[in-house]
Structures are given as structure tokens and as C-alpha cells.
Amino acid sequence: MGDIFVLAEHRRGELREVSLEMLAAASSVAPQLGGKITAILLGSGVNSFAEKLAGYSDKVLYVDDPLFAEYNSEKYQLALSDLISRYQPELVMVPHTTQGVDMAPALAVELKMPFVADVAGLSFEGGKLQPVRTYYQGKINADFAFKGKPPYLITVRESSFSAGDPSKQGTVEKIASPLKEDIQYRKFVEYIEAVVGDVDISQAEILVAIGRGLREEKNLSMIEDLAKSINAVIAGSRAAIDAGWLPHDRQVGTSGKNVKPKVYIAIGISGAFQHLAGMKAAKTIIAINKDPNAPIFTVADYAIVDDLFKVVPKLTEKLKELRA
Amino acid sequence: MKMFVCIKRVPDTSEADVKIDQTGKSVDSSRFSFGINDADNYAVEEAVLIKEARGGEIKFLCIGPKDSDVVIRMSLAKGGESAVRIEDPRINQKDPLQVAKVLAAAIKREQFDLVMTGCMSADDSNMSVGVALAEELGVSHAAMVKSVEILDGKIKVKRELEGGLTEVVEMSLPAVITIQTGINVPRYAPVRGIREAQKKELKVLKLEDLGLAEEEVSEAGSRVELMKLYIPVVASNAEMIQGTPDEKAEIMAVKMVKGGLL
């Protein structure tokens, strides 16, 4: 009883970091749940991943089948449903990634599992596990409790737990593939690489990044002036890219690029976790936003809580003066 | 091509101060401005584009009170034949699986080829309704779709993955897809469309009309319970720059240039 299943994630020959983050989260609650940690791995030619996962779990159950070479929500759901029904774990952890969100809700419906999505923390209240998630892009936190019987299912937000060092020597068990033949109703076709643009923002020393707060494309000229005054490259949040203000290769965050410039100036960016994950490694972060509770300030070194349209032109003017 | 598009009215809280109300389990939304959920707006546009290219029929689905009619009519003004609004205070809109169950009940009553939802709501951000809906309907799905190509009895979509990578997936129809923002450029509702939208059918249904029992979709029937909401402790180590906007700009500029940040 009390066992925890963790679905490991990998893509194109790489075990993704979120797998180890979830195993660390599992380790933090395993004593209270009183169970063992099992890593679930579905893939083809993934023995080395199984060995690595064993360093972080009590047991690794893995399927090694060419039919699982690429992620496919339908196949993953089939395999997990089978394993969960057989082993009856207490808690199942799936990454809240483009793989996990494409599969977990369907699994929850199929197995009627109590389900909380996008979990960023785990706590205990009266001996019961309480997943923590956020609302309104991080402005509100919520504690949840599971009702009814386990197994419980959560999807876990990337970068919300820190991966630990290997400290276990779990058993590794290869299990039979649940598939006898390929499925026809959903097929993986191919991957397409990101388009390479004129500037690589991940190599930039100074970035001026814009978000929804800029409101209109015509306000971009004000940002260009600022960028020019300090030889910065302009990047943006998803909102700025979706609005068509900047090309796709300028997007900072989970679906764009991770950046680590010397200086990152976030202008009108509230700081969704997908954005923060991509820029919090910057050496110095300056944030300008009129909402004092904007999550961007949790990672900022300098906070300017004010109207960007009043601050930015003056900042540019002063920078020009001082650098003249 | 018979399409359903699920849309939601949400508050714009990107620059708003969000406060928890007296119940401790919901927020005070009295001062918010509302509109169609961003990703849903892209789903509406995608459906209209498909209809313009291949013909077909679009029906919008929305769970919510009468206030939601504004976003429904705005979507109808861009295209689409009719809409259904499900208004029932017994529905627990905080549980994405229960929301999916309600939507499925409304869709199941009719024949359909393609169902679209936004991939994420701006307020709750579970990213779960569309995928759960597909399971309820017993059809294939793909989440976070950035491109749609309709083939003969099939659909080919591009999913946006991490790091700018794209995954191409082919599925049989009918299917559910959840649309990612940026897939297209949502149009503004044309004036003539706004006038025509007033005449289009907008049915209002309750749980009984959908053959759903209260315990399936109510808070009491949810398999999870929201215990409490709270404002996260903003563990900010940031240095607050004080003063008028001009003073703040000057202080920051000095720190950048003379403080050696640049």
C-alpha cells in the first residue's frame, strides 16, 4: 500500500529532467504515504534510462518495444491503465508537459481517478496528501484534497521540484508490452525542428523582453529605442509572439528558448511559469510591471512597480545620457 | 464537416489585483473585465477557417450564466450556425473532468466530425478539459495543436512541444483537438456578422435536458475537493525601486551603467 508510480518522460534519446524532479517529489512524500517508488518507463531501446532511473527509485518497470519508440497518448494510456489496474498504486505522477497533458486527463476519466492537474507543490494536512496548484497565472494558490479511493492522479509542473542525486539502487524489471500490433487511430508522423532565425536569443548578453503589457505593436518602437541604447536583443513572452509583434524564434520560455543573459529586462510580462522557467537563470533580472503581485517579481533582482509607458521612455533617455 | 467549438468566458486578470472572497474558496470577480478565453478565440477562428475552405457547420458550446452570451454572439458573428449554452448552478466548473462530462453530454446527442477547445483557460489553466472530453466521447485527440490539415476521414495536426519542437500526428475522425494560441490570427467580428448573429439559434440547456444527474457533475460529486485558496507568499528578493516614474527610471539607469550591470 501507499506506492507511488512516476511516469518517466523521454524524447529523442534524452531522458527529460522532469522525470528526476518527479522522483524527488515522490521521495519527499513516500515516507508519509508509507510506500515504495516505482518509475514507469515506456520506450524502445531505453535500457540505459531504466538503469539511470533505478538510482532514484525502488523499482523500475519498463516496456521495451519498437511500438513505443515515440510518445503516443493512446499507447501510453493503454500501458498505464493496464499497470495501474494491476499494481494499484496510491499515487500516480505524470509530468505536466506536452506529453502528460495530452494523456493524463483521458486516463483519469477512464479509470475514474481523483485527478489534480498542474501540481506545483505537495503538502500534508491531517496525514492526508494535499496537492497544491495555482490559479490566475500564479496569482492564487489552491490546496486540494482527494476524495474517494486511490489511485490518485496528478500532473506535475516542470521545475517545481529539484532533482536530487542518485541515492537508491532500485530493481529493474522489464515487462511485456501491452501492444501486440500498432494502433491505427492515432499515429506519430514526424518531428519538425524549430526554425532558426537571424538572432539566437539564447546567446544574447542583454535581453529586453516584452509581454502582453505592451498592448499594441506600435509601442514596439519605444522598446527598440531602449534596446538600441544598451545594445540589447529584443525577445518576448508567448503573448508577444502570438500577437505577431515578434517572430517565433524570439520566444522565451518552455515552448520557446531558455535564456541566460547577463541582464534580462522584463517589460509588461506578468510571468507565467512557462516564461519564468525559460529566463530565471539570467544573472540580473529587472522587471517593470504595474501589478505588484505579478509572479515575475519572484525572480526579479530589481522591481519597478509602475506604468511601463511612463518608465521606459525615461529609462532610455537616462541610459543614453549616462552612456554618451 | 460538422464541428463543435467549446468556448469559455473568463476574466482578464493579467494586470488585475486578484482577491479571495469571504468563502475562501473563490475569488472576488466583481471588478474584473471579462471576455472569451484567449485559446478558445483561436479555436473559433480555426473552425471558421476550416468551414470557409471546405464547407460545413459550426456549433458553439459554452457552460456559463447569461453573461456568457456576449462571447457566444461574438463567435457567432465570425461564423457558425448555432450555439448551445449550458446554464446550471449545480455544475462544478472548477473540476475539468466534470466540465468535460457536461460538454460530452451535449455533443453526444448529435453527429460530429471534429470538436475543438482551447488548450488552456486563462483562469484555471488545467489544460485538461479537451483531452478528458475526447475520452468521454470515445474518440481520438491531440492537445496543443498549432496547425490543422483535414484529410479524407482523417486529420493531420502539428502539436507544439517544448523548446520550439513540433510533432506531427495523424488521427482518424471524429476527433477532439485542443488549440494552442498563435495557430492563426483571430479576426474581429464583422459588423454585418454581429447583426446576423443576433438571429442565430442560441439554446439554453440544463442538466435534465442533457440527461445528467446532479451528483455526476456537482461539487459534491467531484473526486477532488478544493480545500482553500490563498495568495502565495511572494518570496521576492528584489530590490524595490522607489519614487515617481521618472525617479525610478533614473535610479535604474544609474545602477545599470554605473553599478556595472551592463
Side-chain angles (χ1 to χ4, degrees):
Chain A
M1 263 312 281
D3 287 352
I4 306 171
F5 269 18
V6 173
L7 175 66
E9 178 166 306
H10 62 93
R11 183 160 58 224
R12 307 176 96 191
E14 189 204 339
L15 186 65
R16 300 196 69 235
E17 181 78 0
V18 68
S19 312
L20 303 185
E21 291 166 9
M22 286 190 296
L23 287 166
S27 294
S28 73
V29 296
Q32 284 113 310
L33 291 176
K36 304 271 190 214
I37 300 167
T38 302
I40 307 290
L41 174 65
L42 309 169
S44 174
V46 286
N47 309 42
S48 62
F49 296 163
E51 294 300 332
K52 180 163 189 188
L53 292 167
Y56 302 83
S57 43
D58 299 302
K59 184 156 77 172
V60 179
L61 289 177
Y62 79 107
V63 169
D64 198 345
D65 177 353
L67 294 177
F68 279 91
E70 299 300 342
Y71 160 82
N72 181 316
S73 65
E74 306 277 359
K75 297 181 191 179
Y76 267 52
Q77 187 183 337
L78 211 120
L80 277 173
S81 164
D82 178 48
L83 288 168
I84 292 165
S85 306
R86 243 193 299 158
Y87 290 87
Q88 291 294 314
E90 174 103 356
L91 176 68
V92 179
M93 301 170 81
V94 170
H96 192 76
T97 56
T98 58
Q99 289 188 11
V101 301
D102 188 46
M103 187 276 301
L107 182 67
V109 170
E110 182 195 344
L111 297 180
K112 298 188 169 23
M113 294 164 92
F115 169 58
V116 180
D118 192 16
V119 171
L122 293 169
S123 66
F124 275 85
E125 187 70 41
K128 289 190 121 182
L129 181 66
Q130 287 200 341
V132 183
R133 71 181 309 278
T134 67
Y135 285 97
Y136 303 102
Q137 289 114 44
K139 291 188 178 182
I140 299 280
N141 273 14
D143 288 351
F144 272 84
F146 297 114
K147 291 196 285 188
K149 287 197 199 118
Y152 308 127
L153 178 63
I154 58 173
T155 56
V156 179
R157 180 185 290 189
E158 275 187 280
S159 307
S160 44
F161 297 90
S162 305
D165 295 319
S167 59
K168 294 180 185 253
Q169 285 180 304
T171 55
V172 176
E173 189 184 325
K174 185 172 161 177
I175 49 173
S177 172
L179 286 177
K180 301 287 167 271
E181 57 186 26
D182 207 356
I183 60 163
Q184 299 303 317
Y185 41 94
R186 171 163 166 165
K187 290 191 157 190
F188 168 82
V189 180
E190 62 176 332
Y191 290 119
I192 299 171
E193 298 286 346
V195 180
V196 182
D198 55 340
V199 193
D200 184 358
I201 56 166
S202 68
Q203 299 303 316
E205 284 259 295
I206 304 170
L207 280 173
V208 172
I210 53 168
R212 196 183 297 275
L214 196 68
R215 300 221 181 99
E216 287 180 82
E217 188 168 8
K218 67 173 169 61
N219 297 325
L220 205 56
S221 60
M222 173 182 83
I223 301 299
E224 283 160 354
D225 283 349
L226 170 64
K228 211 167 153 195
S229 75
I230 50 174
N231 298 319
V233 172
I234 301 177
S237 68
R238 168 175 278 283
I241 310 308
D242 285 347
W245 302 337
L246 297 171
H248 281 101
D249 60 305
R250 302 291 182 102
Q251 186 174 336
V252 175
T254 317
S255 29
K257 282 185 172 150
N258 290 334
V259 298
K260 41 179 191 330
K262 212 160 76 175
V263 181
Y264 189 91
I265 310 176
I267 300 174
I269 292 176
S270 70
F273 79 88
Q274 295 94 334
H275 185 79
L276 301 186
M279 49 67 80
K280 64 185 176 193
K283 189 157 173 268
T284 301
I285 297 167
I286 301 165
I288 306 172
N289 196 301
K290 70 178 181 191
D291 175 11
N293 297 316
I296 190 76
F297 291 123
T298 62
V299 298
D301 299 291
Y302 296 97
I304 298 178
V305 180
D306 216 317
D307 183 350
L308 71 91
F309 296 101
K310 289 182 183 150
V311 176
V312 172
K314 198 74 189 173
L315 179 63
T316 308
E317 185 190 314
K318 283 287 158 196
L319 284 167
K320 278 184 188 160
E321 238 174 74
L322 290 166
R323 284 165 68 88
Chain B
M1 183 70 41
K2 171 91 185 277
M3 291 176 277
F4 278 92
V5 183
C6 306
I7 58 177
K8 183 184 183 186
R9 174 182 179 264
V10 297
D12 174 10
T13 56
S14 57
E15 288 177 276
D17 190 8
V18 183
K19 287 197 173 70
I20 295 159
D21 69 11
Q22 287 170 331
T23 67
K25 293 192 175 188
S26 51
V27 302
D28 175 9
S29 56
S30 56
R31 287 183 306 147
F32 291 163
S33 63
F34 288 82
I36 188 168
N37 180 51
D38 202 22
D40 301 353
N41 197 30
Y42 287 90
V44 169
E45 179 66 28
E46 200 58 28
V48 174
L49 290 173
I50 292 171
K51 189 187 146 181
E52 284 172 351
R54 310 180 52 95
E57 199 186 310
I58 304 168
K59 185 176 269 194
F60 297 110
L61 268 183
C62 178
I63 303 175
K66 190 159 178 43
D67 299 335
S68 305
D69 283 355
V70 180
V71 301
I72 297 171
R73 293 283 182 207
M74 220 30 123
S75 301
L76 282 168
K78 297 178 183 183
E81 281 60 44
S82 62
V84 168
R85 179 164 58 80
I86 302 153
E87 177 174 5
D88 202 312
R90 294 169 291 179
I91 297 169
N92 176 23
Q93 283 210 67
K94 282 282 164 226
D95 184 334
L97 303 188
Q98 292 182 310
V99 168
K101 184 164 278 211
V102 173
L103 294 172
I107 296 169
K108 266 180 197 163
R109 305 165 357 131
E110 299 178 40
Q111 176 269 331
F112 65 94
D113 300 300
L114 185 61
V115 179
M116 283 187 248
T117 69
C119 73
M120 178 174 106
S121 65
D123 48 0
D124 296 359
S125 310
N126 284 298
M127 305 189 90
S128 300
V129 170
V131 174
L133 175 58
E135 183 70 19
E136 290 282 356
L137 294 170
V139 301
S140 297
H141 73 266
M144 302 157 115
V145 168
K146 269 301 260 288
S147 155
V148 180
E149 190 186 339
I150 310 282
L151 308 167
D152 189 25
K154 283 186 189 168
I155 182 172
K156 196 174 184 180
V157 300
K158 290 181 181 160
R159 298 183 59 227
E160 180 191 277
L161 307 182
E162 289 81 4
L165 190 65
T166 298
E167 179 192 3
V168 184
V169 172
E170 208 173 272
M171 295 179 297
S172 44
L173 291 173
V176 178
I177 54 176
T178 79
I179 300 295
Q180 178 60 283
T181 57
I183 183 175
N184 51 41
V185 181
R187 71 193 68 188
Y188 290 99
V191 176
R192 210 181 100 196
I194 293 172
R195 246 180 290 128
E196 285 169 358
Q198 298 305 320
K199 290 178 239 143
K200 291 181 180 173
E201 180 188 87
L202 196 174
K203 260 193 207 154
V204 181
L205 301 180
K206 289 196 176 312
L207 290 186
E208 286 73 17
D209 302 317
L210 298 170
L212 286 169
E214 178 177 344
E215 58 269 25
E216 291 180 89
V217 295
S218 67
E219 199 179 330
S222 176
R223 292 192 290 268
V224 295
E225 187 177 357
L226 173 63
M227 302 307 284
K228 66 163 195 251
L229 294 180
Y230 51 99
I231 309 278
V233 182
V234 180
S236 174
N237 296 316
E239 180 182 334
M240 273 286 186
I241 308 295
Q242 310 282 356
T244 64
D246 283 6
E247 286 162 1
K248 285 173 183 164
E250 178 155 10
I251 294 167
M252 199 63 241
V254 170
K255 281 183 187 293
M256 287 168 76
V257 177
K258 299 197 169 153
L261 295 181
L262 294 176

